[in-house]
Amino acid sequence: DGGITQSPKYLFRKEGQNVTLSCEQNLNHDAMYWYRQDPGQGLRLIYYSQIVNDFQKGDIAEGYSVSREKKESFPLTVTSAQKNPTAFYLCASSPPNQPQHFGDGTRLSIL
Amino acid sequence: KQEVTQIPAALSVPEGENLVLNCSFTDSAIYNLQWFRQDPGKGLTSLLLIQSSQREQTSGRLNASLDKSSGRSTLYIAASQPGDSATYLCAVKRNGANNLFFGTGTRLTVIP
Protein backbone atom coordinates (compact mmCIF):
# COMPACT_ATOMS: atom_id res chain seq x y z
CA ASP A 1 0.00 0.00 0.00
CA GLY A 2 1.22 3.49 -0.80
CA GLY A 3 1.36 5.93 2.05
CA ILE A 4 3.30 7.80 4.67
CA THR A 5 4.82 6.00 7.64
CA GLN A 6 5.79 7.84 10.78
CA SER A 7 7.72 6.16 13.58
CA PRO A 8 7.71 5.73 16.44
CA LYS A 9 4.09 6.34 17.39
CA TYR A 10 5.12 7.45 20.90
CA LEU A 11 8.48 8.92 21.90
CA PHE A 12 9.88 10.16 25.19
CA ARG A 13 12.70 12.64 25.53
CA LYS A 14 14.94 13.28 28.50
CA GLU A 15 16.20 16.74 29.35
CA GLY A 16 19.13 17.78 27.14
CA GLN A 17 18.56 14.95 24.68
CA ASN A 18 18.09 15.16 20.91
CA VAL A 19 15.51 12.82 19.40
CA THR A 20 14.72 12.02 15.77
CA LEU A 21 11.29 11.36 14.31
CA SER A 22 11.11 9.27 11.17
CA CYS A 23 8.93 9.97 8.14
CA GLU A 24 9.01 7.74 5.06
CA GLN A 25 6.76 7.91 1.98
CA ASN A 26 6.40 5.58 -1.00
CA LEU A 27 4.08 7.87 -2.96
CA ASN A 28 6.90 9.31 -5.09
CA HIS A 29 5.97 12.80 -3.91
CA ASP A 30 8.50 15.58 -4.34
CA ALA A 31 7.38 17.76 -1.42
CA MET A 32 7.41 16.79 2.25
CA TYR A 33 6.36 18.72 5.34
CA TRP A 34 6.59 18.61 9.13
CA TYR A 35 3.85 20.11 11.30
CA ARG A 36 3.43 20.44 15.04
CA GLN A 37 -0.01 20.20 16.68
CA ASP A 38 -0.71 21.36 20.24
CA PRO A 39 -4.00 20.77 22.08
CA GLY A 40 -6.68 23.19 20.94
CA GLN A 41 -4.48 24.64 18.23
CA GLY A 42 -4.17 24.18 14.52
CA LEU A 43 -1.17 22.64 12.83
CA ARG A 44 1.90 24.85 12.55
CA LEU A 45 4.60 24.33 9.93
CA ILE A 46 8.08 23.47 11.19
CA TYR A 47 10.02 22.69 7.99
CA TYR A 48 9.25 21.74 4.42
CA SER A 49 11.21 20.37 1.49
CA GLN A 50 10.32 20.72 -2.19
CA ILE A 51 13.14 18.53 -3.55
CA VAL A 52 15.96 16.32 -2.38
CA ASN A 53 18.83 18.14 -0.62
CA ASP A 54 16.76 21.30 -0.18
CA PHE A 55 14.51 22.45 2.66
CA GLN A 56 13.08 25.67 4.08
CA LYS A 57 12.10 26.84 7.56
CA GLY A 58 8.46 27.15 8.42
CA ASP A 59 6.85 29.32 11.08
CA ILE A 60 8.32 27.54 14.13
CA ALA A 61 11.68 26.08 13.04
CA GLU A 62 13.69 27.10 16.12
CA GLY A 63 14.94 24.08 18.05
CA TYR A 64 14.35 21.68 15.14
CA SER A 65 16.48 20.38 12.28
CA VAL A 66 15.77 18.26 9.19
CA SER A 67 17.54 16.55 6.32
CA ARG A 68 16.36 15.41 2.89
CA GLU A 69 19.02 13.05 1.53
CA LYS A 70 16.49 10.78 -0.17
CA LYS A 71 13.17 11.54 -1.85
CA GLU A 72 11.41 9.00 0.35
CA SER A 73 12.67 10.21 3.71
CA PHE A 74 12.38 13.45 5.69
CA PRO A 75 13.51 12.91 9.32
CA LEU A 76 12.94 15.60 11.95
CA THR A 77 15.32 16.07 14.87
CA VAL A 78 14.01 17.78 17.99
CA THR A 79 17.06 19.28 19.61
CA SER A 80 17.70 20.16 23.26
CA ALA A 81 17.24 23.80 22.21
CA GLN A 82 13.51 23.18 21.81
CA LYS A 83 12.32 23.97 25.33
CA ASN A 84 8.71 22.90 24.91
CA PRO A 85 8.80 19.85 22.64
CA THR A 86 5.72 18.05 24.00
CA ALA A 87 3.31 17.89 21.07
CA PHE A 88 1.86 15.74 18.30
CA TYR A 89 4.07 15.80 15.19
CA LEU A 90 2.62 15.18 11.74
CA CYS A 91 4.47 14.56 8.50
CA ALA A 92 2.89 15.13 5.09
CA SER A 93 3.84 14.82 1.44
CA SER A 94 2.39 16.01 -1.85
CA PRO A 95 3.00 16.28 -5.59
CA PRO A 96 3.39 19.88 -6.82
CA ASN A 97 0.22 21.93 -6.18
CA GLN A 98 -1.73 18.86 -5.09
CA PRO A 99 -3.39 18.00 -1.74
CA GLN A 100 -1.11 16.90 1.07
CA HIS A 101 -1.25 13.35 2.40
CA PHE A 102 -0.59 12.87 6.11
CA GLY A 103 0.96 10.17 8.26
CA ASP A 104 -0.54 9.00 11.56
CA GLY A 105 1.74 11.17 13.68
CA THR A 106 4.25 10.79 16.51
CA ARG A 107 3.40 11.91 20.03
CA LEU A 108 6.47 13.28 21.82
CA SER A 109 6.54 13.68 25.60
CA ILE A 110 9.14 14.83 28.12
CA LEU A 111 10.32 12.45 30.83
CA LYS B 1 0.00 36.85 7.52
CA GLN B 2 -2.86 34.45 6.84
CA GLU B 3 -5.04 33.65 9.86
CA VAL B 4 -7.67 30.93 9.77
CA THR B 5 -10.51 30.75 12.30
CA GLN B 6 -13.05 28.00 12.87
CA ILE B 7 -16.24 28.48 14.82
CA PRO B 8 -17.59 26.78 16.87
CA ALA B 9 -14.69 25.02 18.61
CA ALA B 10 -17.01 22.15 19.56
CA LEU B 11 -20.44 21.01 18.44
CA SER B 12 -22.78 18.23 19.58
CA VAL B 13 -25.77 17.19 17.50
CA PRO B 14 -28.22 14.28 17.57
CA GLU B 15 -27.89 11.66 14.86
CA GLY B 16 -29.67 12.51 11.62
CA GLU B 17 -29.30 16.28 11.86
CA ASN B 18 -27.83 18.38 9.09
CA LEU B 19 -25.04 20.68 10.27
CA VAL B 20 -22.71 23.41 9.08
CA LEU B 21 -19.11 24.04 10.12
CA ASN B 22 -17.57 27.44 9.49
CA CYS B 23 -14.11 28.55 8.45
CA SER B 24 -12.91 32.12 7.87
CA PHE B 25 -9.58 33.43 6.60
CA THR B 26 -8.07 36.90 6.56
CA ASP B 27 -6.20 36.97 3.24
CA SER B 28 -8.41 36.32 0.21
CA ALA B 29 -5.42 35.71 -2.10
CA ILE B 30 -5.70 31.97 -1.74
CA TYR B 31 -4.80 29.19 -4.18
CA ASN B 32 -7.17 26.63 -2.64
CA LEU B 33 -8.96 25.64 0.56
CA GLN B 34 -9.09 22.15 1.97
CA TRP B 35 -11.25 20.45 4.61
CA PHE B 36 -9.74 17.62 6.67
CA ARG B 37 -11.02 15.14 9.21
CA GLN B 38 -8.89 14.09 12.19
CA ASP B 39 -9.76 11.19 14.48
CA PRO B 40 -8.26 11.18 18.01
CA GLY B 41 -4.53 10.44 17.96
CA LYS B 42 -4.48 10.10 14.18
CA GLY B 43 -3.29 12.00 11.17
CA LEU B 44 -5.44 14.05 8.81
CA THR B 45 -7.69 12.69 6.09
CA SER B 46 -8.50 15.02 3.22
CA LEU B 47 -12.25 15.39 2.65
CA LEU B 48 -12.68 18.09 0.03
CA LEU B 49 -10.47 20.54 -1.81
CA ILE B 50 -11.86 23.70 -3.44
CA GLN B 51 -9.74 25.62 -5.91
CA SER B 52 -9.91 29.42 -5.68
CA SER B 53 -11.89 29.58 -8.92
CA GLN B 54 -14.56 27.17 -7.63
CA ARG B 55 -17.61 27.88 -5.49
CA GLU B 56 -18.25 24.43 -4.06
CA GLN B 57 -17.32 20.78 -4.01
CA THR B 58 -19.42 17.76 -3.07
CA SER B 59 -18.56 14.27 -1.92
CA GLY B 60 -21.35 12.03 -0.72
CA ARG B 61 -23.04 13.67 2.28
CA LEU B 62 -20.44 16.45 2.39
CA ASN B 63 -20.63 19.77 0.60
CA ALA B 64 -18.03 22.51 0.94
CA SER B 65 -18.55 26.05 -0.30
CA LEU B 66 -16.09 28.88 -0.79
CA ASP B 67 -16.69 32.64 -0.86
CA LYS B 68 -13.23 34.01 -1.46
CA SER B 69 -14.22 37.66 -1.45
CA SER B 70 -15.67 37.44 2.06
CA GLY B 71 -12.99 35.06 3.30
CA ARG B 72 -15.38 32.26 4.25
CA SER B 73 -15.94 28.57 3.68
CA THR B 74 -18.56 26.22 5.07
CA LEU B 75 -18.66 22.45 5.33
CA TYR B 76 -22.19 21.06 5.23
CA ILE B 77 -22.75 17.54 6.54
CA ALA B 78 -26.13 16.00 5.72
CA ALA B 79 -27.88 13.38 7.82
CA SER B 80 -25.10 13.16 10.39
CA GLN B 81 -24.03 9.78 11.77
CA PRO B 82 -22.11 8.78 14.93
CA GLY B 83 -19.20 7.79 12.65
CA ASP B 84 -18.90 11.46 11.64
CA SER B 85 -17.66 12.28 15.16
CA ALA B 86 -14.16 13.73 14.75
CA THR B 87 -12.33 17.04 14.57
CA TYR B 88 -12.74 18.91 11.30
CA LEU B 89 -9.96 21.23 10.17
CA CYS B 90 -9.88 23.70 7.32
CA ALA B 91 -6.64 24.86 5.73
CA VAL B 92 -5.83 27.42 3.06
CA LYS B 93 -2.95 27.58 0.63
CA ARG B 94 -1.93 31.09 -0.35
CA ASN B 95 -0.93 32.08 -3.86
CA GLY B 96 2.79 31.52 -4.27
CA ALA B 97 3.17 29.64 -0.99
CA ASN B 98 3.96 25.97 -0.56
CA ASN B 99 2.52 25.33 2.87
CA LEU B 100 -0.96 25.25 4.36
CA PHE B 101 -2.38 27.54 7.05
CA PHE B 102 -4.66 25.63 9.40
CA GLY B 103 -7.61 26.62 11.55
CA THR B 104 -7.89 25.34 15.11
CA GLY B 105 -10.64 22.88 14.21
CA THR B 106 -14.20 22.07 15.22
CA ARG B 107 -14.69 18.97 17.38
CA LEU B 108 -17.94 17.33 16.28
CA THR B 109 -19.86 14.79 18.36
CA VAL B 110 -22.86 13.07 16.82
CA ILE B 111 -25.03 11.52 19.53
CA PRO B 112 -26.79 8.24 18.68
Side-chain angles (χ1 to χ4, degrees):
Chain A
D1 267 6
I4 301 176
T5 302
Q6 290 188 242
S7 62
K9 189 172 177 65
Y10 300 97
L11 187 58
F12 298 92
R13 195 192 88 168
K14 295 180 182 178
E15 292 289 338
Q17 187 181 44
N18 294 351
V19 292
T20 297
L21 285 60
S22 171
C23 178
E24 303 278 332
Q25 55 103 356
N26 60 5
L27 300 168
N28 200 34
H29 289 168
D30 288 316
M32 297 187 74
Y33 310 82
W34 274 106
Y35 293 91
R36 169 181 172 141
Q37 187 177 32
D38 294 282
Q41 296 191 33
L43 278 68
R44 292 181 290 168
L45 183 69
I46 305 172
Y47 268 99
Y48 65 99
S49 168
Q50 296 291 95
I51 56 173
V52 174
N53 293 322
D54 186 52
F55 48 83
Q56 286 81 40
K57 293 182 179 180
D59 296 326
I60 54 166
E62 185 175 349
Y64 300 96
S65 66
V66 293
S67 63
R68 187 85 188 276
E69 297 176 2
K70 298 186 301 182
K71 188 175 186 178
E72 302 79 20
S73 178
F74 192 38
L76 173 73
T77 297
V78 184
T79 74
S80 57
Q82 173 49 247
K83 298 306 179 187
N84 184 23
T86 298
F88 190 50
Y89 291 86
L90 287 161
C91 177
S93 71
S94 73
N97 296 318
Q98 294 296 315
Q100 293 180 17
H101 298 249
F102 284 80
D104 278 343
T106 292
R107 188 165 300 281
L108 175 62
S109 302
I110 296 295
L111 283 178
Chain B
K1 181 184 175 183
Q2 180 71 269
E3 292 187 8
V4 183
T5 305
Q6 291 186 248
I7 295 174
L11 180 65
S12 290
V13 300
E15 182 178 0
E17 270 203 9
N18 303 327
L19 60 101
V20 174
L21 306 180
N22 297 294
C23 172
S24 61
F25 47 94
T26 54
D27 185 351
S28 62
I30 66 169
Y31 184 78
N32 60 41
L33 183 144
Q34 205 165 351
W35 282 93
F36 293 90
R37 170 187 172 132
Q38 184 177 31
D39 292 291
K42 296 289 189 179
L44 277 62
T45 301
S46 180
L47 298 173
L48 290 165
L49 181 144
I50 310 176
Q51 300 292 351
S52 62
S53 58
Q54 298 174 322
R55 297 283 293 182
E56 65 178 331
Q57 282 286 337
T58 298
S59 175
R61 294 182 294 109
L62 305 179
N63 176 275
S65 67
L66 174 64
D67 184 343
K68 202 171 66 166
S69 61
S70 67
R72 293 181 183 178
S73 176
T74 61
L75 178 66
Y76 175 84
I77 302 177
S80 58
Q81 303 171 357
D84 294 331
S85 297
T87 296
Y88 291 81
L89 296 156
C90 71
V92 299
K93 183 174 182 180
R94 279 198 341 234
N95 288 330
N98 297 303
N99 57 302
L100 298 175
F101 291 86
F102 282 84
T104 52
T106 294
R107 189 173 69 252
L108 173 66
T109 303
V110 180
I111 304 164

